[in-house]
Amino acid sequence: MSLAPLPHAPAARAGFVRGFLSVPSAAIALAVFVAMSAAAFLAPWIAPQDPYDLMQVDIMDNLLRPGERAWSGMTHWLGTDGQGRDMLSAMLYGLRISLIVGILSGLIALAIGTLVGLVAAFRGGWVDAVLMRIVDLQLSFPTILVALILLVILGRGVDKIIIALVVVQWAYFARTVRGVALVESARDYVEAARGLRLGSLRILFLHVLPNCLPTMLVVATIQMAQAISLEATLSFLGVGLPPTRPSLGLLIANGFNYLQSGRWWISVLPGVVLLVLIVSVNVLGDRMRDVLNPHLGR
Amino acid sequence: MLEFILRRVAQAVLVLFVMTLLVFFGVHVIGNPVYIFASSECTRECLNDIIANLGLDRPIWEQYWLFLGNLLQGDLGRSFTHGVPAMSLIWQRFPATLELATAALVLALAAGLPLGLYAGLRPDSPVSKAIMGFSMLGFSVPIFWIGLILILTFSVRLGWLPAIGRGQLVEVLGVRVSFLTLDGLRHLAMPSFTLSLIMMSMVIRLTRAGMREVLHTDYIRFARANGIRESRVIGVHAMKNILIPVVTVLGMEFASVIAFAVVTESIFSWPGVGKMLIDAIAVLDRPLIVAYLIFVVVMFVTLNLLVDILYSVLDPRVRVGGRTR
Amino acid sequence: MIRLGLALLAAAFLAAAPAAAQTVLTIGVRSEAASLDPHWTQLSADLQVQEHIFEHLVDLDPASQPVPGLAVSWQPLDATTWEFRLRPGVTWHDGAPFTADDVIFSFDRLAAGIAGAPASPAFTLAKGGKRWVKIDDLTVHVLTNGPYPTVAEDLAMVPIVAAHVARGVTPSVDFNSGKAAVGTGPFMFEEFSPGNRISVVRNPNWWGGDPGWDRVVFRPVGQDAARLAALLNGDVDIIDYPPTVDLPQLEANPDFRVSTIPSDRLIYVILGNKSREPFVTDNAGNVLFPSPLRDWRVRKAMSLAIDRNAIRDRIMGGASEPTRNIVPPGFFGYVDDLQPDAFNPDEARRLLAAAGYPDGFRVTFQGPNDRYINDARIVETIAQMWTRVGIRTEVDTMPRNIFFSELIRGGPETFPGFDMPKFSVALTGWGTVAGEATYTVSGILETYNAATGGGNGNFGRYSNVLIDALSIRAKQTIDRTERLALLQQATRLGMEDYAFIPIHFQVNKWAMKASLEHTPRTNERTLAWEVRRVR
């Protein structure tokens, strides 16, 4: 689904924040997202344990129930996993990885996609045709399959999964930005700027780009939710992240093996966190779309 | 017209060629399948025998050349593990995937349309809010997680549904399908629901949005004002306008549903092509991985080609400029 | 339209109604068989299903000791000639009699190699320069270049196919279609539906009598949790590799039964013997020279730092047997008084200090994550334990296709014949297929020699001339007492020198409905005639 270009409406932006928060679900989602991001990025300071430091993890403390005390005397409020990692800490660090992967891949894809979209829109002609053919081609393949094969070839690692996610995402941005840029460049102010003989790069970055931002923000938010979910799915399929640095998705996948024996906390807790994260991002994206363009439905 | 089609076909062939390059060389960078098949007692000599048997002793470009030559004759090579032509394996298993994806599509429409209609008609009722909340969840939940929870609930705790595999098959018009037997349906229930969730959410949202837009249009107001029954207004006049975007989007999504079946199939041990791919990756069955990918590429390129040609027939402007969507 | 659908539905239900009371055993297996051609691969998932249809001259009993199969007896006539007497009165599934011609055909088919096959056990046949001749319809001689004590055990790996059926067929394809899947075994081919099920039916004329089931269905379920779910809700009757985390609950559940036997699969840690090991550094990250792994005290410290009982109880759900041997108890070559190293972190720290590493060092510990039971978790746990005694350990686990390429060959740039494993410290496994230690000693303790196959599994490139001498002599000693002494001596030397660090033998488990009982096998195979209904 591609988004139609948004109208150029500076007046709407003034009341953006107020309008955005006027719906309680959006306000809650924003609060949740901010809180989760803060917790994730403060993980090294607020987590009770560093789950990557093997000195702090003891196999003898594995599979403790939430609230149980370890040999060391430490209380694991959310229990421990099969290796003896504190679940609260593992989830904070996992959230961190999921967010880093989602945000970084989104930003890089955004940068690449914006560049390609702007170039296509501004140069037009065969450059536009070729670039858009590539975008079409990319979009015609299912993301999960492309990412899966890429990761099989690339191997494991945070950098690798970010590369794979960028590859499957950039085309969305490119197409959206091109659409918006085409509309914008036809507008009076761009014509006026051209009349003033401003350099085309300057027009591009000072005038066209800022007007693409709202649309890109919406696309970026939705893509971030997609990226986080996709990363979890790929980790579940056994490609993507190394098991020693588990993201939320990997924690869920690892924990599933313990579900039947009643150790629900290893899989269910990260599952809930992941769900809350993705839902809040999606709600934010929805609301943003509504505020920025009330006529746009999904 | 003819020139346009020829140009598009030429482009499709070029794309196919580029994809064979990417896929073939991509798959050949990973690991070495020989060490999967050799037993621990295998000496250097025996390893060399296996390498020669698999044709891996030739330089990679020569292997590619052979592959391309065979591809032109419709032969995608032989699976290392199965020892049978890769295409025959794909054809054997593709019906299962197609059945799963179709079942998911039907489910998405059957549940999504009425829910979306209701939410569109009464946007402020609590039920509608719940429906929209559900659709938001459907978008957000990673499908592997839902699949696992379903297995735990319905097959382990309650014992209502089988957890794995495809049920009893019956032959209809030469194709073996499972949705006509009770056993088959019970096996189909959980995987197809899991796979349908994203589509279902999409249908709900599209229907709701379409409904709300349509209700404000003049002709519906006009129809209402003329005293046409409400059910007819919605059932005939509104539906027509809602179904078009729904069908368009689902048509575009269907291919990616087939791809997402990779996840569903590996959870529910569904004997389709997706699970075959995952298994093939685990043992580095290169010909099978390559064959599956080429199969998918051909499928998508052909679909796109058809869409392009169809568009151009419907809208002659497309032929002049680039394609716009 | 609707009526037609209903009619179809009704017809389908009728078709689905169960036939007359048949005894059907449904087995949920972790890995799917890909080919029914018994000479196509050596993957155990394939062999397991094939063994229901095809047989060998020599069978292995549940403890992997050789017993008569299609041969009733065998004996060495002299140092280089073995005589096999074939079982009279055996028929193929199509009714034709089984004779020495079939044996010769099968050996020839294997020795010639099968085009396109990813692996064939031809090497077992070629090993020691074996040749074979038919003496009469029920006698075959196997001739070797030198003394060759384990001919019988090796032939337990060589399935016999029917000469009159398999001659000229397309390998694998015609077996999977059922056309050439004609054997002498207890079950006959019925259906092979890839990814879904493989079924075989009872062979009423089997020489071994009644195999106990009218039909056996293999269903592949790769996901551990899904396989267990399938057992719990009755989709399947018995599963292999029940997930270890669920073993305690399963064993306590009166509705289910678990069968148990130690396997022949040794899980061990290889330690690199180069003077510079790329993955062994000081605490600042510089590669250490000489590598601390060359110091016997360091290797011993690494062994003492491992709490094998904790791995058994906390990771393996009890399904492992800590060891310091290379073959499991009961196997030819087992050394009674080699007991697993007791967990002793203080002694480990003392040894490290004595070796000159009071502050420890750093290693990267590699391993597969989809090959052995809980492999990645074992790697992580050992890493924890080493870190605690001062050897700061990074963990790197990978899929087996990548792991084994790099473990065995080190990478594509390695010159063939001089393969150099890439890893310095890695977890791997070795299965003693034939129930005796000759090729285990040779494979994992002998110095690596690409030409003879010695040290094939010696990925640390450990080298000890004393062990080499003992091992090479053992391979040529037919007298069992003498050979046993040589093998035990070699094992003892290797273990006392910490040639590698043995962790445990996996313990094979199967979980089944309480109405069944099962004789578990050391070699991990699930064979239908070893599963019985409880009266």
Side-chain angles (χ1 to χ4, degrees), chain C residues 48-202:
Chain C
Q48 166 170 295
V49 176
Q50 289 158 8
E51 279 186 28
H52 288 76
I53 301 172
F54 298 97
E55 294 179 294
H56 317 95
L57 288 187
V58 179
D59 278 346
L60 295 178
D61 71 2
S64 288
Q65 300 307 304
V67 291
L70 287 175
V72 281
S73 66
W74 53 90
Q75 63 196 27
L77 296 182
D78 56 53
T80 59
T81 311
W82 284 76
E83 180 176 87
F84 287 84
R85 299 205 149 272
L86 306 185
R87 192 176 291 277
V90 174
T91 57
W92 295 97
H93 292 160
D94 62 4
F98 157 76
T99 68
D101 292 325
D102 298 310
V103 177
I104 301 294
F105 172 79
S106 300
F107 289 5
D108 286 345
R109 181 174 190 251
L110 269 171
I114 296 166
S120 58
F123 59 92
T124 0
L125 282 166
K127 204 159 60 185
K130 282 194 275 267
R131 283 163 297 124
W132 37 91
V133 284
K134 170 185 173 182
I135 301 302
D136 59 45
D137 265 359
L138 292 176
T139 314
V140 171
H141 280 185
V142 175
L143 309 152
T144 60
N145 284 346
Y148 194 91
T150 58
V151 164
E153 283 85 350
D154 278 0
L155 289 187
M157 312 296 131
V158 183
I160 305 297
V161 297
H164 67 285
V165 177
R167 199 183 299 278
V169 299
T170 313
S172 196
V173 176
D174 284 334
F175 286 85
N176 288 9
S177 72
K179 185 180 152 204
V182 174
T184 55
F187 292 94
M188 305 189 292
F189 176 89
E190 186 186 44
E191 187 199 1
F192 184 2
S193 150
N196 197 23
R197 50 159 56 209
I198 297 176
S199 63
V200 292
V201 291
R202 193 165 68 95

Side-chain angles (χ1 to χ4, degrees), chain B residues 147-164:
Chain B
L148 301 176
I149 296 295
L150 285 180
I151 290 189
L152 265 187
T153 319
F154 291 102
S155 63
V156 176
R157 292 269 179 273
L158 299 171
W160 292 350
L161 293 170
I164 54 152

Side-chain angles (χ1 to χ4, degrees), chain C residues 171-238:
Chain C
S172 196
V173 176
D174 284 334
F175 286 85
N176 288 9
S177 72
K179 185 180 152 204
V182 174
T184 55
F187 292 94
M188 305 189 292
F189 176 89
E190 186 186 44
E191 187 199 1
F192 184 2
S193 150
N196 197 23
R197 50 159 56 209
I198 297 176
S199 63
V200 292
V201 291
R202 193 165 68 95
N203 170 11
N205 301 318
W206 187 41
W207 58 267
D210 179 8
W213 301 96
D214 293 324
R215 170 179 286 123
V216 178
V217 181
F218 295 88
R219 305 200 65 166
V221 193
Q223 293 273 336
D224 280 350
R227 193 166 57 254
L228 179 62
L231 173 73
L232 293 180
N233 81 348
D235 290 346
V236 300
D237 302 313
I238 178 170

Side-chain angles (χ1 to χ4, degrees), chain A residues 49 51 57-65 76 78-88 90 243 246 250-251 254-255 258 263 265-267, chain C residues 314 377 380 384:
Chain A
Q49 183 190 69
V57 181
D58 193 336
I59 188 68
M60 299 313 284
D61 291 332
N62 74 342
L63 300 178
L64 293 178
R65 297 188 159 274
H76 296 283
L78 298 182
T80 59
D81 74 357
Q83 293 301 122
R85 273 187 220 106
D86 177 57
M87 276 312 290
L88 176 60
L250 205 53
L251 283 174
N254 290 341
Y258 298 92
R263 278 93 166 209
W265 62 94
I266 308 176
S267 186
Chain C
R314 296 279 164 167
R377 298 188 57 207
E380 274 187 60
Q384 276 180 22

Side-chain angles (χ1 to χ4, degrees), chain B residues 31-32 35-44 46-47 50-51 53-54 78-85 89 92-93 151 155-156 159 161-166 168 170 176 179-182 187 266-267 269 271 275 279 281-284, chain C residues 8-9 12-13 15-16 32 34-35 40-43 114-119 123 127 171-173 176 191-192 194-196 219-223 226 229-230 232-233 235-236 400-402 404-405 408-409 417 419 430 433 450 452-453 456:
Chain B
N32 189 334
Y35 301 108
I36 303 266
F37 297 112
S39 81
S40 50
E41 287 181 42
C42 202
T43 60
R44 167 50 50 197
C46 129
L47 281 178
I50 298 176
I51 291 172
N53 262 336
L54 297 181
R78 224 160 37 144
S79 152
F80 287 164
T81 39
H82 292 78
V84 304
L89 277 173
Q92 234 171 339
R93 300 179 70 153
I151 290 189
S155 63
V156 176
L161 293 170
I164 54 152
R166 199 173 176 207
Q168 181 101 26
V170 268
R176 277 148 68 86
F179 69 92
L180 290 176
T181 64
L182 180 62
H187 280 86
S266 61
I267 297 168
S269 303
K275 182 162 174 295
D279 293 346
I281 288 175
V283 293
L284 274 192
Chain C
L8 274 174
L9 214 60
F13 286 154
E32 184 194 0
S35 174
W40 185 259
T41 69
Q42 283 234 294
L43 301 175
I114 296 166
F123 59 92
K127 204 159 60 185
S172 196
V173 176
N176 288 9
E191 187 199 1
F192 184 2
N196 197 23
R219 305 200 65 166
V221 193
Q223 293 273 336
L232 293 180
N233 81 348
D235 290 346
V236 300
R400 61 188 156 159
N401 52 38
I402 297 169
F404 285 105
S405 304
I408 296 175
R409 197 160 185 186
D419 302 337
W430 180 275
V433 198
T452 64
N456 253 324

Side-chain angles (χ1 to χ4, degrees), chain A:
Chain A
M1 284 175 298
S2 62
L3 289 159
L6 298 172
H8 179 57
R13 252 181 288 154
F16 174 75
V17 176
R18 215 175 328 124
F20 187 89
L21 295 177
S22 66
V23 171
S25 65
I28 296 172
L30 186 64
V32 167
F33 180 70
V34 168
M36 283 180 121
S37 309
F41 288 99
L42 294 175
W45 295 277
I46 58 173
Q49 183 190 69
D50 177 356
Y52 307 150
D53 180 3
L54 293 174
M55 275 305 269
Q56 297 183 36
V57 181
D58 193 336
I59 188 68
M60 299 313 284
D61 291 332
N62 74 342
L63 300 178
L64 293 178
R65 297 188 159 274
E68 261 186 295
R69 277 167 72 92
W71 285 39
S72 59
M74 177 178 165
T75 306
H76 296 283
W77 294 109
L78 298 182
T80 59
D81 74 357
Q83 293 301 122
R85 273 187 220 106
D86 177 57
M87 276 312 290
L88 176 60
S89 313
M91 277 159 54
L92 284 170
Y93 276 80
L95 184 64
R96 191 178 152 92
I97 292 183
S98 292
L99 274 173
I100 288 177
V101 166
I103 292 175
L104 265 187
S105 67
L107 284 181
I108 300 174
L110 178 76
I112 297 176
T114 306
L115 197 68
V116 172
L118 285 182
V119 168
F122 244 65
R123 293 302 292 273
W126 67 269
V127 176
D128 184 28
V130 167
L131 287 178
M132 283 306 111
R133 270 327 273 176
I134 298 177
V135 166
D136 276 346
L137 186 69
Q138 171 77 59
L139 288 183
S140 68
F141 290 104
T143 48
I144 177 98
L145 210 59
V146 176
L148 176 70
I149 294 299
L150 264 178
L151 283 173
V152 167
I153 293 170
L154 293 174
R156 284 170 188 245
V158 175
D159 48 340
K160 314 260 167 61
I161 197 155
I162 289 179
I163 293 175
L165 289 176
V166 167
V167 169
V168 299
Q169 287 186 86
W170 71 273
Y172 287 97
F173 291 105
R175 172 177 284 177
T176 315
V177 169
R178 173 180 173 270
V180 181
L182 276 181
V183 173
E184 291 298 327
S185 16
R187 284 181 188 280
D188 294 347
Y189 73 94
V190 176
E191 296 295 325
R194 281 216 171 107
L196 291 173
R197 309 203 166 207
L198 293 176
S200 59
L201 267 184
R202 212 170 141 183
I203 301 176
L204 209 60
F205 283 101
L206 287 183
H207 299 280
V208 178
L209 191 58
N211 284 300
C212 298
L213 276 179
T215 317
M216 278 151 58
L217 197 63
V218 175
V219 177
T221 314
I222 295 167
Q223 283 300 316
M224 188 173 121
Q226 293 261 322
I228 294 173
S229 170
L230 192 58
E231 179 272 316
T233 306
L234 290 166
S235 294
F236 167 77
L237 287 176
V239 296
L241 291 170
T244 40
R245 298 259 192 285
S247 65
L248 286 175
L250 205 53
L251 283 174
I252 299 171
N254 290 341
F256 181 68
N257 290 323
Y258 298 92
L259 266 179
Q260 277 164 4
S261 53
R263 278 93 166 209
W264 53 271
W265 62 94
I266 308 176
S267 186
V268 171
L269 294 180
V272 171
V273 174
L274 182 68
L275 194 59
V276 170
L277 175 67
I278 299 179
V279 168
S280 66
V281 176
N282 271 336
V283 170
L284 285 181
D286 261 21
R287 186 63 199 144
M288 243 181 250
R289 191 203 334 246
D290 290 349
V291 172
L292 293 171
N293 179 9
H295 302 299
L296 206 71
R298 198 178 190 179

